[in-house]
Amino acid sequence: MGTAAARWGKLLRPWIRRKPLPDLRRAALLIVDLEHAFADPRGEAFLPASRAILPNVLALRDAFRAAGLPVAFTRHAHRPDECRGTMSRHWRWLIREGTSQAELIPELAPRRGEPVLRKAQYSAFHGTGLGRWLRRHDVRTLVVTGVMTHLCVETTSREAFGRELDVVVPLDACASSDETLHLGALRGLANGFASIPRTATLLRFLA
């Protein structure tokens, strides 16, 4: 991951608009959809890159906890009444609520007080209460990690920006099914919406 992250950083450099990191003293960490469907090798939509980013995601989780900063998780799952909407018309397969595919991988181990928000759209804000939770914790900066970069991570990040939050998307703590999609999403985010540091940079600021 280190070699790939260094190469991605060089490729993204022309698109980066915001170089100083926003204030992390009022930041929250959001870990998006690292559930069995995507992050378990036996998952029905397994993304090999999800395993490569997992150490970075866990390092950020631990650093946020150590700093006393809030952490939240999402998992993507559809109830029966949600299986006829736009997602079902676009995708031939949906993650069903109540199945093992929809559960977070055990490595994440959410603690008491760390919400696990079920969502059925790309945005983690859609119908989840995430916005209320962020306001309750007086969060000003949202660090978004997880899968997939070009779908749920990007959509959530764009909406967070529209809600007047500073956004950070660590380039080596999110993943897609394809490097082209990953880098394309990060280019757009770097240019218009978010800071795109490496995980190691964030960890230094959180230490």
Side-chain angles (χ1 to χ4, degrees):
M1 177 56 69
T3 302
R7 180 167 56 84
W8 294 340
K10 291 180 182 178
L11 291 172
L12 292 167
R13 197 171 295 151
W15 308 99
I16 293 173
R17 294 185 63 85
R18 181 169 182 172
K19 293 184 180 179
L21 280 175
D23 188 358
L24 296 178
R25 291 172 297 179
R26 296 170 72 178
L29 176 67
L30 183 66
I31 300 174
V32 177
D33 295 356
L34 284 178
E35 57 201 275
H36 284 277
F38 300 122
D40 184 331
R42 297 163 296 181
E44 294 182 32
F46 175 57
L47 302 169
S50 67
R51 303 307 297 184
I53 68 166
L54 186 58
N56 287 340
V57 173
L58 295 179
L60 287 169
R61 179 206 62 185
D62 293 346
F64 268 73
R65 287 173 174 172
L69 296 170
V71 176
F73 306 80
T74 72
R75 57 184 189 87
H76 195 101
H78 292 258
R79 298 190 304 252
D81 62 305
E82 297 167 331
C83 292
R84 294 180 180 273
T86 53
M87 295 292 281
S88 65
R89 292 195 293 272
H90 192 80
W91 300 96
R92 286 177 286 182
W93 173 80
L94 296 175
I95 305 168
R96 302 301 180 109
E97 175 70 328
T99 67
S100 61
Q101 297 292 307
E103 298 303 317
L104 296 182
I105 56 172
E107 293 93 328
L108 296 184
R111 289 181 175 174
R112 185 175 180 179
E114 296 177 346
V116 178
L117 306 167
R118 186 193 69 86
K119 64 184 185 62
Q121 270 289 347
Y122 298 131
S123 175
F125 289 93
H126 187 86
T128 65
L130 175 61
R132 292 190 300 275
W133 181 79
L134 293 171
R135 288 191 296 273
R136 190 163 65 246
H137 288 277
D138 196 24
V139 169
R140 299 296 177 89
T141 299
L142 185 62
V143 178
V144 186
T145 66
V147 297
M148 286 193 263
T149 315
H150 69 293
L151 295 176
C152 298
V153 169
E154 181 177 14
T155 306
T156 298
S157 298
R158 286 171 179 258
E159 185 163 350
F161 182 90
R163 290 172 178 244
E164 297 294 333
L165 292 167
D166 289 322
V167 183
V168 178
V169 181
L171 62 87
D172 52 357
C174 56
S176 284
S177 53
D178 176 271
E179 185 180 68
T180 301
L181 294 171
H182 176 69
L183 288 174
L186 290 177
R187 284 190 185 100
L189 289 171
N191 187 246
F193 300 94
S195 299
I196 313 287
R198 293 179 66 170
T199 296
T201 301
L202 278 179
L203 292 175
R204 285 197 294 273
F205 276 87
L206 291 165

